Amino acid sequence: MLLALAMACLEQSAQAQPKAGPAATFYRDVLPIMQERCQACHRTGEIGPMPLVTYRDARPWSREIQKRTGSKEMPPWFADPRYGRFSNDPSLTPRQIATLAAWADAGAPAGNPHDAPPPRQWAEGWVIPSPGMVVKMPKPVTIPARGDVDYTYEIVPTGFTEDRWVRMSEVRPERRRNVHHAVIYIRPPGSKWLQHAPVGEPFTAKTLTDEQDRRDAMMTQSDMLLVYAPGSSPDQWPEGMAKLVPRGSDLVFQMHYTANGQAGKDQTSIGMVFARQPPKQRVLTLQLTNDHFVIPPGVPDFFVEAHGSLPNDALLLSFFPHLHLRGKEFAYNIVHPERSGQEKFETLLRVNYNFYWQLSYRLAEPLPLKAGTELQAAAVYDNSHQNPHNPDPDAAVRWGDQTYDEMMVGFFDIAVDANVDKPQFFIRNGNR
């Protein structure tokens, strides 16, 4: 009786085991994952070190793909999963990770080419769809092989004879490995910012002859069209939202170059996709910044914060934290002054910061915020010998332009009524 029962249990157990399916193949199983999650970066001319478009491209890297995706190092994504959901999260599902591993373990078979999905169509040279307009710095900037490079600017007239609403934009450095960051500002007509600076040719604050222009080079109230840093994404706003470039505006390219041992030249471009019709909401880029801090030598966890309250109602869209090589963590929180302890801070995003992949984080559901809402940006720095990227663990570190200095900037994007510009948004009503 016991033997019969045991045999019956074994038979039921065998029936319960799933049957092994066919081995994973490139064309049927792997290529769809690469089209969805990898090829934006891993194709010719993009930031990925090798293309992953064809079987011939991918097969030699099958074990490396298995390793990097299994450890979740790729695709790069640094948001703590406990906080928030983000529409641009490229993370692979457990099933996708298992598929890539099974493909590598099977010897990376090609399979039947007829199983392949249609090739994904990319605008040549762009991640966004083919731009309606490309603005390029008129003159190349010479980058030395060694030494510090001051922030370099070029002012480019748009020639717009009417207001243009930009729904998507992408910065394309010509010499990406030398670009620490780029900010493209919108200088509306009549602005006094850099009013005596040359147009159409590169300059730095030191080369300007007007004292006010020299001071203003590092500070402006002008809105940003786009911020670029290593690994960052283009802007792609939902239907009904866009950034405004008023007619007669200039675009001001602020370029921070770093020397890497080889001299070269750069002419960065920005591509723009325009909205088909005026949107209902205008996107503004704001920031929380703290430039008054000193990080002591050797400290592994040094905390710096910045606070600000919204002057008016807004719809919170996305975040873009910016630190330098000692950056360790970055968080955005709503502060509830009436609460105490841990309940006082409502975390919207927490990032394990990586200087070489400075990503934006777009909320899956935009968050309405009331006027007076207090926001906190909080950064943690590792200035110890345990930080492999630390330029000098024995130095006290302050705010500065160069990579061996530090910064603390929490950019974030909001949507407001299309008729509200940045100066109007900062007019507070009442005593908020």
Side-chain angles (χ1 to χ4, degrees):
M1 179 67 178
L2 291 174
L3 179 61
L5 182 60
M7 292 297 291
C9 289
L10 286 171
E11 183 177 351
Q12 290 175 5
S13 176
Q15 291 173 352
Q17 294 296 322
K19 295 183 179 179
T25 68
F26 177 79
Y27 290 111
R28 184 187 63 232
D29 306 293
V30 173
L31 183 56
I33 298 173
M34 294 190 169
Q35 287 184 351
E36 179 186 2
R37 299 298 193 191
C38 309
Q39 289 181 7
C41 293
H42 287 275
R43 53 193 173 93
T44 302
E46 296 304 320
I47 195 171
M50 69 287 194
L52 295 174
V53 176
T54 68
Y55 176 67
R56 186 175 181 179
D57 292 336
R59 188 185 185 284
W61 300 99
S62 60
R63 285 298 182 191
E64 193 67 18
I65 291 168
Q66 179 186 32
K67 176 184 175 183
R68 298 293 183 93
T69 57
S71 66
K72 299 187 178 179
E73 183 180 348
M74 287 287 154
W77 185 252
F78 307 103
D80 187 326
R82 294 176 296 173
Y83 306 103
R85 293 188 306 109
F86 302 92
S87 62
N88 61 326
D89 183 352
S91 303
L92 300 178
T93 66
R95 183 171 183 175
Q96 289 172 324
I97 293 171
T99 295
L100 295 173
W103 177 62
D105 289 339
N112 188 341
H114 294 293
D115 291 337
R120 184 163 178 181
Q121 300 301 312
W122 302 94
E124 186 175 354
W126 300 94
V127 174
I128 61 174
S130 185
M133 182 176 182
V134 176
V135 175
K136 187 174 185 177
M137 291 163 51
K139 292 188 178 180
V141 176
T142 299
I143 306 166
R146 294 172 181 81
D148 294 343
V149 184
D150 291 336
Y151 279 22
T152 305
Y153 299 78
E154 281 197 39
I155 299 173
V156 188
T158 62
F160 290 167
T161 57
E162 59 182 6
D163 293 348
R164 302 302 301 265
W165 290 96
V166 179
R167 186 168 164 245
M168 302 181 192
S169 59
E170 180 180 351
V171 170
R172 302 289 296 187
E174 187 176 67
R175 198 171 175 84
R176 185 178 302 169
R177 61 186 177 273
N178 290 103
V179 177
H180 170 283
H181 81 251
V183 183
I184 315 301
Y185 291 99
I186 303 166
R187 188 174 74 167
S191 171
K192 294 184 178 180
W193 181 48
L194 298 174
Q195 62 178 328
H196 305 106
V199 174
E201 61 182 74
F203 63 89
T204 68
K206 291 179 181 177
T207 64
L208 295 172
T209 57
D210 184 83
E211 182 61 33
Q212 186 62 48
D213 283 348
R214 283 198 293 268
R215 288 194 295 267
D216 287 351
M218 304 306 294
M219 185 180 299
T220 180
Q221 299 300 316
S222 294
D223 198 17
M224 304 168 191
L225 181 54
L226 185 60
V227 180
Y228 167 91
S232 63
S233 306
D235 274 353
Q236 302 187 57
W237 305 114
E239 288 283 358
M241 297 181 186
K243 287 199 167 186
L244 176 64
V245 181
R247 63 179 181 178
S249 293
D250 302 321
L251 296 184
V252 180
F253 287 68
Q254 182 200 73
M255 306 297 303
H256 181 190
Y257 297 109
T258 55
N260 64 3
Q262 291 183 328
K265 295 179 182 295
D266 175 74
Q267 269 183 289
T268 289
S269 303
I270 183 168
M272 294 172 280
V273 175
F274 300 116
R276 290 189 290 267
Q277 57 189 14
K280 294 181 179 180
Q281 292 179 292
R282 178 174 179 172
V283 178
L284 302 174
T285 298
L286 310 181
Q287 63 191 72
L288 292 165
T289 301
N290 185 336
D291 60 359
H292 292 78
F293 57 83
V294 181
I295 307 173
V299 175
D301 293 288
F302 188 79
F303 179 80
V304 177
E305 64 178 338
H307 287 249
S309 63
L310 289 179
N312 288 286
D313 295 352
L315 191 64
L316 182 63
L317 303 177
S318 61
F319 309 98
F320 183 75
H322 178 67
L323 308 172
H324 288 180
L325 291 169
R326 295 170 178 85
K328 183 176 182 178
E329 295 178 8
F330 202 105
Y332 293 81
N333 302 305
I334 294 177
V335 182
H336 298 282
E338 73 281 3
R339 303 178 187 175
S340 61
Q342 293 183 346
E343 297 298 318
K344 185 175 182 178
F345 298 96
E346 178 186 347
T347 299
L348 304 176
L349 169 70
R350 180 173 292 166
V351 170
N352 296 311
Y353 191 76
N354 186 318
F355 174 80
Y356 300 100
W357 288 100
Q358 298 185 46
L359 307 181
S360 57
Y361 299 85
R362 303 188 193 106
L363 289 168
E365 295 292 335
L367 180 64
L369 297 177
K370 291 293 186 181
T373 299
E374 183 180 355
L375 296 173
Q376 178 208 45
V380 177
Y381 299 87
D382 182 355
N383 195 24
S384 72
H385 287 267
Q386 283 67 50
N387 178 356
H389 308 296
N390 195 342
D392 185 358
D394 299 318
V397 185
R398 294 171 171 80
W399 174 282
D401 297 340
Q402 301 302 326
T403 307
Y404 52 74
D405 301 315
E406 266 303 337
M407 286 192 173
M408 193 282 186
V409 185
F411 296 104
F412 60 101
D413 297 299
I414 60 169
V416 296
D417 185 271
N419 296 315
V420 174
D421 61 18
K422 199 169 183 178
Q424 290 172 316
F425 178 74
F426 278 97
I427 298 174
R428 294 177 184 264
N429 297 316
N431 295 317
R432 291 193 297 268

